[in-house]
Amino acid sequence: MKLYSSILRKISTRLALAATLCLTLISGQALAADKPTFRLAWSIYVGWVPWDYGNSEGIIKKWADKYGIEIEVVQVNDYIESINQYTAGAFDATVMTNMDALTIPAASGVDSTALIVGDFSNGNDGIVLKDAAELADIKGQRVNLVELSVSHYLLARALESVGMSERDVTVVNTADADLVSAFATKDVTSVTTWNPLLAEIVSMPKASKVFDSSQIPGEIIDLLVVNSDTLAENPELGKALTGAWYEIMSRMQMDDEVGTKALEFMAASSGTDLGGYKAQLDSTKMFYQPADAVTFTESETLKDTMGKVAEFSFKHGLLGEGAPDAGFIGIETPAGVFGDSSNVLLRFNSTFMDMAAKGEL
């Protein structure tokens, strides 16, 4: 009888432990399922591949865990398609330039916030001529570029610098994948593009770079953009993304094996080697320190730059069919609003970068 009772007690104990374990597992799964989940898209560019590194190294997960959320990081090979998907609601955050942020999501009515101002092109975009060494020689030429992209904007600004306008050239819309092979043909004498394509074209016979983005510093800006409503409802997303970004930035600056491996990873993500990636970084003004990004974002210059971008976009019909002028879409910066303050759809918010600068994340 005692033996029978002992067996029963053991069985009961094991059943109780099993039941407790099951409840714990179910509870844990429920908690995981309850975690807010967000999606971030990135595409290949010198200033955006750090997101791939941060995802691979668990840095983004670390910061997401800190704020009780999950962040799914997805590479989208087609840059414009990634922005279109963000605009359609498939992603909560996406990398893009300041012009594209205005002309795609904002122009489509999607209120968007530039959460992180990561860098600006400082030579990564340029104009190349064949058998000519001066920008003025571009007059009357056919210029191959991705129409209505930042390359088109760069061309317009370059022409202004020598007293010309787009009426003095003919723009030939060319897919970025075709620009290198196009310049190799006899008929193509002028292209405008970005790195790494730019470096490849400049290295070709008879090629001369006659203008680049270092001559309009701070105008082609690379951003991490987040849906404004999503950010307002989930500030922890902004904190996690910003915290992760500046941890990645700190690793990129390390003069040791950790820093070298980080840059090597990013080089591979970019389809180049360490030397090639460092060359791209040399023509990029990276805001490694959050305080520097805050200063840039809060400057009056940013507001003026976005005014130039809006003027170009309006002239080329990129603000939507109903846009009566360049100020149709309000662009909010810490220095003030450019355009219609009752129709703000693009916001530059330095709050989270400032928190990073102050060590408050």
Side-chain angles (χ1 to χ4, degrees):
M1 192 70 176
K2 288 182 181 179
L3 177 62
Y4 180 69
S5 298
S6 175
I7 291 171
L8 281 179
R9 281 197 302 273
K10 287 180 180 179
I11 291 173
S12 299
T13 301
R14 287 174 181 174
L15 286 173
L17 287 171
T20 301
L21 178 61
C22 286
L23 287 171
T24 301
L25 288 172
I26 292 169
S27 176
Q29 289 170 354
L31 286 171
D34 289 339
K35 269 189 177 183
T37 302
F38 305 95
R39 303 183 79 220
L40 160 66
W42 70 277
S43 52
I44 294 174
Y45 181 69
V46 58
W48 295 331
V49 292
W51 288 113
D52 189 28
Y53 171 78
N55 186 47
S56 174
E57 289 295 302
I59 296 172
I60 294 172
K61 183 181 185 307
K62 166 190 162 184
W63 282 87
D65 288 346
K66 178 176 180 177
Y67 288 102
I69 62 175
E70 292 186 4
I71 300 173
E72 180 185 356
V73 181
V74 180
Q75 179 183 356
V76 179
N77 290 326
D78 186 322
Y79 165 63
I80 295 299
E81 179 58 24
S82 72
I83 305 175
N84 289 337
Q85 288 188 35
Y86 161 82
T87 302
F91 292 98
D92 303 288
T94 315
V95 294
M96 63 186 81
T97 68
N98 53 323
M99 190 177 96
D100 293 327
L102 174 65
T103 61
I104 303 179
S108 300
V110 177
D111 194 325
S112 297
T113 295
L115 177 75
I116 298 172
V117 177
D119 67 84
F120 64 75
S121 176
N122 199 32
N124 263 327
D125 300 77
I127 300 171
V128 183
L129 299 184
K130 188 184 292 180
D131 291 319
E134 301 292 334
L135 176 59
D137 295 327
I138 201 171
K139 188 170 184 177
Q141 292 201 34
R142 292 163 59 84
V143 186
N144 292 68
L145 51 75
V146 178
E147 193 172 13
L148 306 179
S149 69
V150 290
S151 292
H152 200 159
Y153 174 80
L154 179 76
L155 173 66
R157 294 286 286 120
L159 291 169
E160 286 176 16
S161 74
V162 288
M164 288 193 279
S165 71
E166 289 183 58
R167 291 189 296 271
D168 294 299
V169 298
T170 301
V171 170
V172 180
N173 187 27
T174 308
D176 55 342
D178 299 329
L179 282 168
V180 175
S181 58
F183 193 77
T185 65
K186 186 173 98 173
D187 294 337
V188 175
T189 59
S190 176
V191 299
T192 306
T193 188
W194 53 80
N195 273 323
L197 303 177
L198 178 63
E200 190 171 351
I201 292 170
V202 168
S203 69
M204 297 170 75
K206 302 180 180 179
S208 296
K209 184 171 68 173
V210 296
F211 191 90
D212 67 36
S213 52
S214 68
Q215 292 163 265
I216 53 165
E219 293 191 29
I220 299 176
I221 311 167
D222 300 314
L223 312 169
L224 177 70
V225 172
V226 180
N227 181 284
S228 297
D229 291 337
T230 301
L231 182 62
E233 294 168 7
N234 304 276
E236 63 273 16
L237 173 62
K239 293 177 181 179
L241 288 171
T242 307
W245 177 256
Y246 287 111
E247 181 170 339
I248 298 165
M249 291 298 99
S250 69
R251 289 202 187 184
M252 289 177 71
Q253 297 175 85
M254 291 180 179
D255 189 19
D256 57 15
E257 186 179 356
V258 173
T260 299
K261 285 186 175 180
L263 295 180
E264 286 176 342
F265 182 99
M266 295 173 201
S269 291
S270 301
T272 187
D273 57 16
L274 182 59
Y277 187 66
K278 284 184 174 180
Q280 292 179 39
L281 284 173
D282 287 343
S283 51
T284 307
K285 172 58 180 176
M286 295 293 298
F287 292 119
Y288 291 110
Q289 302 299 328
D292 294 336
V294 170
T295 299
F296 179 84
T297 304
E298 294 182 350
S299 69
E300 189 74 33
T301 303
L302 175 63
K303 180 184 170 186
D304 294 340
T305 293
M306 290 311 299
K308 293 186 183 79
V309 171
E311 292 286 354
F312 172 87
S313 301
F314 173 69
K315 179 181 176 182
H316 291 83
L318 300 177
L319 299 184
E321 293 181 7
D325 54 47
F328 174 64
I329 296 173
I331 304 169
E332 183 181 82
T333 77
V337 175
F338 172 85
D340 188 350
S341 59
S342 66
N343 188 38
V344 172
L345 291 170
L346 178 59
R347 306 166 193 274
F348 286 81
N349 186 342
S350 60
T351 302
F352 294 89
M353 295 184 291
D354 189 53
M355 290 175 71
K358 294 175 180 176
E360 295 176 351
L361 290 178

